[in-house]
Amino acid sequence: MLRIYYKKDKRLAKETDISLLRAIPIMDLVWVDLQNSTVEEKVTIETYFDIKYSSKEESAEIESSSRFNELDDELIINSNFLSLRNQDFDYCPVSIVLEKGILFTYRDDDLKTFGESVKKIRSNPGSFTNGYQILLTVLETGIEQDADIIEGLAKDIADLNKRLTLNRKRSDEEILLKIASFQNHNIMMRENIVDKQRLVSSLMKSSLFPEDYMNVLRIMMKDIGSLIEHNKFAFERLEYLQDTFMGLINIEQNRVIKIFTVATVAFMPPTLIASIYGMNFRAMPELDWNLGYYLALILMVLSSVLTLLYFKKKDWL
């Protein structure tokens, strides 16, 4: 899919037919967005504008030189955006080229960040006159999306905490898997936020990015710093939740072990009595008693009861 945004009658117009590209003056172009495009569309854009999109492998590299590169009149940016797939997060690499005020983006997924950015552009098309503004809008929207995800994650963690403390018929395995899933999401959020922080910091240091937009970048840095703090708090909360969960499991295990221990100790005196009278020595006068069998039973029951009463008195039960 190809989207071409250009200035027309002091507003921003959109074109999706690549054959009409040459009819649009280059000075009026603002944003060329490729989403899961064909090889022909990608090659046409690269040839016509003399640019080079990063490959998927290059976009996924973590070296600083691969994430942000500044040439004579061109900024080459590689950034990862979070994509929701089957109730789970996944990284979607985005190749970004900013040349002479024109923004070029290439991606495979239909990212929510780009969809929301397009809605903002449509709501006020007269305010967007160059690719710098578009890029700032995409970054701002991405930060807003990250904030929403962190808020949703915090709510999920709070709900899990309530479930852990109030629901006694919980599934320990399910809760442990939930905690692990939230930790994984939080790690991915941290990497995503740090990636944006590094990108905004590079733009602030760039000599090609207009000074007029530096205040916007500074505000973004403050927002990103706030997200990092919330993300850190989520990590601490998950660690606390995991410790609480493991503590409850230990308490339950200790309770079970305690029951087995009490039962074992309670049956030790009867076992001792039965062992004594189970010996086959001839000189055992009790063996000739008519009531010896009943006396042995009474002794065994009484010894168990006395042992349990002693435990009760010591508050061990």
Side-chain angles (χ1 to χ4, degrees):
M1 184 179 294
L2 171 67
R3 303 179 185 92
I4 303 173
Y5 295 89
Y6 62 98
K7 291 177 287 186
K8 183 178 180 181
D9 299 330
K10 297 182 180 181
R11 298 178 66 85
L12 209 60
K14 175 184 174 182
E15 184 59 64
T16 58
D17 189 353
I18 195 170
S19 62
L20 301 177
L21 180 61
R22 298 184 182 277
I24 304 173
I26 294 182
M27 64 182 63
D28 292 336
L29 285 172
V30 175
W31 183 19
V32 179
D33 181 35
L34 293 178
Q35 175 198 325
N36 197 20
S37 61
T38 64
V39 176
E40 181 184 358
E41 289 176 333
K42 182 181 177 182
V43 171
T44 300
I45 295 299
E46 289 179 334
T47 304
Y48 184 73
F49 292 101
D50 192 21
I51 62 170
K52 179 65 177 179
Y53 287 113
S54 299
S55 64
K56 191 173 183 178
E57 292 74 17
E58 292 173 339
S59 299
E61 292 180 358
I62 62 175
E63 293 85 357
S64 299
S65 58
S66 300
R67 310 301 291 173
F68 188 92
N69 195 10
E70 183 174 345
L71 303 180
D72 293 336
D73 57 353
E74 183 179 79
L75 291 177
I76 301 174
I77 302 168
N78 292 313
S79 184
N80 287 324
F81 288 77
L82 285 181
S83 176
L84 186 62
R85 298 176 181 175
N86 299 325
Q87 303 300 319
D88 200 3
F89 292 123
D90 193 12
Y91 289 125
C92 175
V94 178
S95 176
I96 302 173
V97 178
L98 193 56
E99 184 182 67
K100 299 177 180 178
I102 305 175
L103 178 66
F104 301 90
T105 56
Y106 176 77
R107 54 199 167 92
D108 290 331
D109 294 350
D110 185 15
L111 295 171
K112 185 178 180 180
T113 299
F114 281 76
E116 293 297 324
S117 299
V118 171
K119 290 181 181 179
K120 291 181 180 180
I121 294 172
R122 288 178 178 174
S123 64
N124 192 12
S127 300
F128 297 90
T129 59
N130 56 60
Y132 303 111
Q133 295 171 330
I134 301 293
L135 178 59
L136 291 175
T137 301
V138 171
L139 293 177
E140 286 177 340
T141 306
I143 294 172
E144 293 171 0
Q145 296 291 331
D146 291 344
D148 293 339
I149 293 174
I150 290 177
E151 290 176 0
L153 184 60
K155 183 179 181 300
D156 291 339
I157 294 173
D159 292 341
L160 183 61
N161 188 25
K162 291 180 181 179
R163 180 182 173 188
L164 182 63
T165 55
L166 299 179
N167 186 8
R168 297 186 180 274
K169 297 181 179 180
R170 64 185 187 275
S171 172
D172 292 341
E173 183 179 358
E174 180 185 355
I175 290 179
L176 189 59
L177 290 175
K178 276 285 186 183
I179 294 176
S181 176
F182 290 156
Q183 287 176 333
N184 183 54
H185 289 172
N186 214 36
I187 290 172
M188 295 183 71
M189 277 302 308
R190 182 59 174 259
E191 293 176 347
N192 186 52
I193 295 170
V194 170
D195 182 68
K196 287 188 176 66
Q197 184 184 45
R198 183 165 53 177
L199 172 56
V200 174
S201 177
S202 298
L203 290 175
M204 293 178 66
K205 299 175 183 177
S206 173
S207 59
L208 297 180
F209 209 80
E211 185 68 28
D212 297 341
Y213 304 119
M214 288 299 162
N215 287 334
V216 179
L217 293 175
R218 293 187 186 98
I219 294 174
M220 285 187 191
M221 286 295 288
K222 292 181 180 179
D223 293 338
I224 291 173
S226 177
L227 292 182
I228 290 177
E229 288 299 319
H230 283 286
N231 180 259
K232 180 181 178 182
F233 175 73
F235 270 117
E236 295 174 352
R237 194 169 186 180
L238 282 171
E239 289 179 359
Y240 167 78
L241 186 60
Q242 188 174 30
D243 292 341
T244 302
F245 174 71
M246 298 306 296
L248 291 175
I249 290 180
N250 289 334
I251 290 174
E252 291 181 356
Q253 291 177 343
N254 291 336
R255 186 181 293 117
V256 173
I257 294 174
K258 182 179 180 181
I259 292 173
F260 281 110
T261 303
V262 170
T264 302
V265 174
F267 282 104
M268 285 178 64
T271 303
L272 177 62
I273 295 172
S275 299
I276 292 174
Y277 289 105
M279 294 185 293
N280 296 320
F281 294 111
R282 292 181 180 275
M284 293 184 68
E286 293 88 346
L287 295 178
D288 296 329
W289 292 357
N290 292 331
L291 299 177
Y293 170 71
Y294 302 102
L295 179 61
L297 291 179
I298 292 173
L299 286 175
M300 285 188 283
V301 172
L302 185 62
S303 62
S304 294
V305 172
L306 291 176
T307 302
L308 292 175
L309 289 176
Y310 179 77
F311 285 169
K312 186 69 175 178
K313 183 179 180 180
K314 292 292 186 178
D315 201 22
W316 293 347
L317 290 177

